[in-house]
Amino acid sequence: MEDIVFDYCSKINELLTSKKDNEAREELIKLLDFHNSNKIEYNQLVNHLIRETGLFPYIQRETSSWEERYIYEIFKVNIGEEKLVTLHREQSFLLKKLLEGKNIAVSAPTSFGKSFVIDAFIKIKKPKNIILIVPTIALTDETRRRLYKKFANEYKIITTTEVEPAEKNIFIFPQERAINYLEKVEHFDIMIIDEFYKASTLFDKTRSPSLVKAIIKIGAKSKQKYFLAPNISTLEENPFTADMEFIHLDFNTVFLEKHELYKEINKNIELKSNILIDLLNAKETKSLIYAGTYTNIDNVSNLILSKFQEKNCDLLNQFANWLGKNYDYNWSLTNLIKRGTGIHNGRLHRSLSQIQIKLFEDENGINNIISTSSIIEGVNTSAENVIIWMNKNGNSNLNDFTYRNIIGRSGRMFKHFIGKVYILDKPPANTQTTLNIEFPEEILGDLDSTKHDNLLTREQLAKLILYQEEMASILGVEVYNRLKAESLFQSSNSELIKSIAIDMSVNPESWNGLNYLNSTKRNQWDKSLYKIINLQPGNWETKNNTFVEFIKALRNNWFRSIPDLLKDLEPCDIGIDEFFKLEKNVTFKFASLLKDVNILQKELLKNKNYDISKFIAYISHAFLPSVVFQLEEYGLPRMISKKIHKSGIINFYDQELTIHSVIEIFNSIGINKIKENVALDEFDNYILEYFFDGIKINQI
């Protein structure tokens, strides 16, 4: 073994001498994996090479020279935990830039460890207001959990729009929510945008306009900006990052071992299926299976259900029974869990996704997760194996950027030095990724021709001035300027806002009866629901009458179980997966449209005295008590909240209850009292412990 170690060290040294740092680092990581597999201590030479390649956290203090021990100690920082953490060379480089007050846009690999830099910056600099924009609600909660433990005794951690800010705040939002705080906060000390590549329509056509709007409007109130993304080689000149230094860091902390099995498969689906089964059977390791589409998730799920026996694991059986009781016994996920496999997609209830990630991290939990691209957008998890089942991302083929982001989930510092990537479908061509952020014309009407003229071309400025004149003629100059200044509209589509305003102005009688939406009689909702749905035909991923019937059935969401609601919805042919999809559309897309309608009708239909704020509040929270809906983002499912409410320990009907006050109540009551007084089953208790772990504060 000494000869093997020496040969590795010799090769690494030659690469370093030849200025081939990346190749040297890759060989070093392979050497560390060899040490880990054979349980060998690092000698002084290995520790020296770790130092030379910049991977300081990997230094083994007990066997290193005083020079390496010194490096290990001086690169330690406080990231809000009990122990100081040693940063690697490039993390320290970025932290120094941030502490100097620089605006930076960074491209770094998935395994880079970007959260350490953010946490160290907060701990050292102690900014007053930090806004962190993340791509999904799932990542909102993961980020909240990390920061809450470290900083909740010093900052108010805010993830929902109803919460009033305190003196010191950390705001963690998807971009659509972030805009709501523009008028509530005088300035932000730093705006951090995770996965900022999504500002390009090439990577997220639907949501890129809202992210660009957030960059413009929140950026104008931010003293400092820090944008993060993987796999960008160059950043094209654009007005949104003009004052930022772009830094490209090709600094991996794990090595990716790629197995190009698609060459052997050659589109033979039977061979491909057998290879997948063999990979999953080979050994009990953690694997992320990227399926790419909902149809492919079903295909892979059916394959696993037909080829694998139940594991007879108590924890997994408890979860499967819990899923059956609270959702559907015939659901594919219920049966997959018994076989040690989970599903991750953007439609599931947030708490369900979080519970599965928790079980994936648990040594005795699930071994595999079948996923769409939500696994790269929604969580910071990784596994020893990543399996690419299909080169698809929804209806499109994977681009090289997203592909590299997915395979970057393989491996983890200190756990899996080498991540194994099994490619079962031909990958996209390997290209250098240039990020081009174009101006989305949908948001033109939400800008100010004076404040933002430097962002616009002459043609865009002319369009904006025309739009302003049209809206001012409909609403009146004063009203239009006020609505625009307060950034009240939820939609990033200015033309949609204008078309609604024109319709209300020209056809006010067609909006009669809007107030019936506040009625408890659901049969009075139909006319108004159809009217609003038809403002965006084809936007709801189902037939209009199905969507209307779903909204009416959802009114019982707090009073009936999901299995009972599914029975009610059988005539509409709505199963559990469709239920998730439509509930998400109701609470997000439909609620946002309703808010915009309500803002406009209050100004244009004043004589009718309509106000559907009450209905909007219900819709936004899926007809659950608002705090119950918000708690699902914190990892507490509605079924457990309902049991707690029935016990009388917490009254979720209390109108004064906020997400922060209820967290305080939970912490003051404690988990033991809830377990003693609420009729919870075994897996309820598992979830409750996970939830409480996410609301506790580290005492440092």
Side-chain angles (χ1 to χ4, degrees):
M1 285 193 185
E2 286 183 8
D3 289 343
I4 295 173
V5 172
F6 180 81
D7 289 344
Y8 260 116
C9 290
S10 179
K11 184 177 182 180
I12 294 163
N13 188 61
E14 285 177 12
L15 289 168
L16 286 170
T17 304
S18 303
K19 306 295 184 186
K20 297 179 179 178
D21 285 11
N22 285 343
E23 293 93 330
R25 195 176 306 108
E26 288 180 350
E27 292 301 319
L28 174 71
I29 292 168
K30 292 179 192 176
L31 174 59
L32 299 186
D33 180 69
F34 177 79
H35 278 74
N36 186 56
S37 301
N38 292 282
K39 297 181 171 54
I40 310 169
E41 287 190 336
Y42 304 170
N43 60 34
Q44 285 195 10
L45 178 56
V46 171
N47 279 305
H48 175 73
L49 292 173
I50 292 172
R51 170 191 169 184
E52 289 296 310
T53 54
L55 289 167
F56 308 142
Y58 283 146
I59 289 173
Q60 203 170 73
R61 292 179 73 256
E62 299 79 11
T63 60
S64 62
S65 68
W66 71 266
E67 292 97 331
E68 274 67 56
R69 287 200 297 272
Y70 177 70
I71 290 291
Y72 184 85
E73 293 299 327
I74 65 170
F75 277 84
K76 278 186 174 179
V77 294
N78 189 336
I79 63 167
E81 295 179 349
E82 188 174 345
K83 292 182 178 179
L84 299 181
V85 170
T86 300
L87 300 183
H88 61 63
R89 184 179 64 210
E90 305 305 306
Q91 286 173 325
S92 183
F93 167 75
L94 286 184
L95 179 58
K96 183 174 182 290
K97 290 267 187 186
L98 287 177
L99 294 174
E100 289 171 351
K102 301 284 179 61
N103 294 325
I104 50 177
V106 179
S107 172
T110 306
S111 63
F112 184 84
K114 59 191 176 183
S115 60
F116 284 174
V117 178
I118 293 170
D119 298 0
F121 174 82
I122 295 172
K123 192 67 183 177
I124 296 167
K125 195 81 170 179
K126 301 189 183 302
K128 184 179 177 183
N129 286 315
I130 305 122
I131 186 161
L132 213 166
I133 298 176
V134 295
T136 62
I137 290 173
L139 197 52
T140 299
D141 184 71
E142 182 175 299
T143 307
R144 176 200 64 81
R145 280 176 171 266
R146 186 186 88 238
L147 296 178
Y148 192 92
K149 291 181 180 182
K150 299 176 179 183
F151 301 115
N153 53 0
E154 190 177 349
Y155 289 88
K156 191 171 187 178
I157 315 289
I158 297 176
T159 60
T160 58
T161 55
E162 296 89 345
V163 179
E164 288 300 313
E167 185 179 348
K168 296 182 73 177
N169 308 280
I170 298 176
F171 305 96
I172 310 165
F173 296 132
Q175 59 253 31
E176 292 84 2
R177 291 183 182 179
I179 295 293
N180 288 279
Y181 268 83
L182 269 174
E183 297 306 306
K184 295 182 181 180
V185 181
E186 187 176 331
H187 75 271
F188 302 97
D189 292 281
I190 187 167
M191 173 175 70
I192 302 166
I193 299 184
D194 196 8
E195 312 288 357
F196 80 93
Y197 67 89
K198 288 181 170 291
S200 168
T201 55
L202 181 63
F203 300 115
D204 198 333
K205 189 175 182 181
T206 304
R207 297 178 66 208
S208 61
S210 60
L211 181 53
V212 171
K213 184 165 78 171
I215 289 172
I216 293 169
K217 296 203 164 190
I218 297 171
K221 299 186 78 168
S222 301
K223 293 180 179 178
Q224 189 176 2
K225 293 182 287 186
Y226 180 39
F227 295 180
L228 299 144
N231 305 321
I232 298 169
S233 55
T234 54
L235 181 60
E236 280 201 3
E237 189 174 322
N238 68 83
F240 315 112
T241 59
D243 60 342
M244 305 182 76
E245 178 186 353
F246 176 66
I247 301 172
H248 173 66
L249 297 173
D250 189 9
F251 191 93
N252 279 302
T253 59
V254 298
F255 174 72
L256 300 186
E257 180 182 284
K258 298 176 187 175
H259 302 265
E260 296 180 327
L261 301 175
Y262 69 90
K263 295 177 180 177
E264 173 189 345
I265 292 167
N266 195 24
K267 297 186 178 181
N268 182 330
I269 189 65
E270 184 179 353
L271 177 58
K272 182 179 180 180
S273 300
N274 291 336
I275 286 175
L276 176 63
I277 297 304
D278 288 343
L279 287 173
L280 299 181
N281 266 325
K283 52 182 177 178
E284 293 283 299
T285 57
K286 303 287 184 176
S287 298
L288 296 176
I289 307 166
Y290 176 78
T293 66
Y294 289 100
T295 300
N296 280 322
I297 282 184
D298 290 341
N299 293 338
V300 175
S301 297
N302 291 334
L303 181 62
I304 289 174
L305 288 171
S306 66
K307 297 292 185 179
F308 284 87
Q309 299 295 317
E310 295 180 11
K311 291 171 69 73
N312 292 320
C313 165
D314 288 344
L315 180 61
L316 297 183
N317 286 340
Q318 288 169 18
F319 184 31
N321 290 333
W322 186 90
L323 287 172
K325 181 180 177 182
N326 292 292
Y327 289 95
D328 187 349
Y329 280 105
N330 294 317
W331 187 18
S332 60
L333 179 60
T334 306
N335 294 302
L336 280 169
I337 289 296
K338 295 175 185 176
R339 292 160 173 80
T341 297
I343 290 176
H344 196 287
N345 62 54
R347 293 174 178 171
L348 291 173
H349 286 163
R350 296 280 65 83
S351 52
L352 272 186
S353 298
Q354 292 167 35
I355 292 162
Q356 289 187 83
I357 294 299
K358 160 71 174 167
L359 284 166
F360 190 64
E361 301 289 341
D362 193 316
E363 191 176 332
N364 299 312
I366 58 181
N367 291 326
N368 314 306
I369 291 183
I370 313 167
S371 171
T372 60
S373 61
S374 66
I375 204 72
I376 59 168
E377 298 167 349
V379 289
N380 280 325
T381 192
S382 58
E384 183 174 0
N385 305 323
V386 167
I387 302 171
I388 306 291
W389 172 259
M390 189 69 75
N391 175 21
K392 285 286 185 182
N393 188 5
N395 294 324
S396 306
N397 286 336
L398 272 177
N399 55 52
D400 183 46
F401 180 92
T402 307
Y403 167 76
R404 283 190 281 166
N405 207 349
I406 293 166
I407 66 175
R409 295 287 164 187
S410 177
R412 176 179 290 184
M413 281 188 77
F414 298 108
K415 193 169 184 181
H416 306 299
F417 289 100
I418 296 179
K420 297 176 178 64
V421 183
Y422 299 94
I423 307 165
L424 277 55
D425 195 23
K426 186 177 180 180
N430 187 2
T431 58
Q432 288 292 305
T433 307
T434 297
L435 183 66
N436 181 23
I437 304 176
E438 297 179 343
F439 187 93
E441 297 212 346
E442 300 98 309
I443 70 169
L444 263 179
D446 205 32
L447 303 182
D448 188 290
S449 58
T450 305
K451 288 182 183 176
H452 302 117
D453 62 333
N454 62 315
L455 301 175
L456 308 174
T457 64
R458 289 175 63 184
E459 292 78 9
Q460 288 168 336
L461 188 59
K463 282 184 183 179
L464 173 54
I465 291 170
L466 177 62
Y467 182 91
Q468 289 174 336
E469 290 171 351
E470 289 176 319
M471 288 297 286
S473 69
I474 299 168
L475 290 162
V477 175
E478 187 180 328
V479 170
Y480 173 62
N481 287 338
R482 173 172 54 82
L483 295 179
K484 185 173 61 174
E486 294 176 3
S487 296
L488 293 178
F489 293 119
Q490 301 293 304
S491 174
S492 292
N493 188 338
S494 302
E495 288 300 317
L496 174 63
I497 299 297
K498 186 175 77 173
S499 68
I500 297 171
I502 290 171
D503 189 57
M504 285 183 179
S505 180
V506 175
N507 306 303
E509 299 309 309
S510 71
W511 291 89
N512 285 347
L514 197 62
N515 228 32
Y516 280 125
L517 289 175
N518 291 326
S519 170
T520 56
K521 298 177 181 177
R522 282 170 283 181
N523 60 352
Q524 296 183 336
W525 296 357
D526 289 47
K527 180 187 173 184
S528 295
L529 289 178
Y530 278 110
K531 172 73 175 175
I532 294 165
I533 287 168
N534 281 315
L535 295 172
Q536 287 188 290
N539 194 45
W540 314 107
E541 300 180 87
T542 190
K543 294 182 290 187
N544 285 3
N545 64 321
T546 301
F547 198 54
V548 168
E549 291 307 312
F550 178 80
I551 292 170
K552 289 159 69 174
L554 199 64
R555 178 65 184 86
N556 286 327
N557 209 2
W558 178 242
F559 308 107
R560 291 171 66 77
S561 68
I562 288 178
D564 287 341
L565 288 174
L566 291 174
K567 285 181 184 176
D568 296 341
L569 289 163
E570 278 180 359
C572 301
D573 196 27
I574 293 175
I576 184 63
D577 291 307
E578 190 80 357
F579 183 96
F580 289 128
K581 179 181 75 176
L582 296 184
E583 187 183 81
K584 184 177 180 182
N585 283 344
V586 167
T587 57
F588 177 54
K589 289 197 286 190
F590 190 63
S592 296
L593 182 57
L594 278 171
K595 288 174 186 175
D596 290 341
V597 165
N598 202 38
I599 288 166
L600 288 170
Q601 67 87 20
K602 282 182 181 180
E603 302 298 340
L604 294 170
L605 308 174
K606 284 185 177 179
N607 61 315
K608 299 182 187 293
N609 292 316
Y610 292 158
D611 184 2
I612 55 171
S613 300
K614 181 180 175 184
F615 182 73
I616 292 169
Y618 284 136
I619 281 283
S620 300
H621 301 123
F623 294 99
L624 300 169
S626 61
V627 171
V628 169
F629 186 75
Q630 291 162 9
L631 282 169
E632 288 209 313
E633 291 185 18
Y634 280 58
L636 190 69
R638 61 193 68 175
M639 307 84 181
I640 298 178
S641 292
K642 191 181 294 187
K643 290 180 179 181
I644 293 170
H645 177 78
K646 285 182 177 178
S647 74
I649 288 180
I650 298 175
N651 175 20
F652 287 115
Y653 289 152
D654 183 354
Q655 297 295 311
E656 301 299 313
L657 212 56
T658 67
I659 188 64
H660 285 82
S661 64
V662 82
I663 293 299
E664 288 177 9
I665 291 169
F666 271 114
N667 277 319
S668 64
I669 291 172
I671 191 170
N672 291 332
K673 185 175 180 181
I674 293 176
K675 285 182 176 181
E676 289 166 7
N677 292 277
V678 183
L680 301 173
D681 62 31
E682 273 190 287
F683 203 76
D684 284 336
N685 286 325
Y686 181 88
I687 296 170
L688 196 65
E689 287 166 6
Y690 168 69
F691 165 71
F692 265 89
D693 183 64
I695 61 171
K696 71 181 181 183
I697 303 171
N698 289 344
Q699 301 297 328
I700 302 173

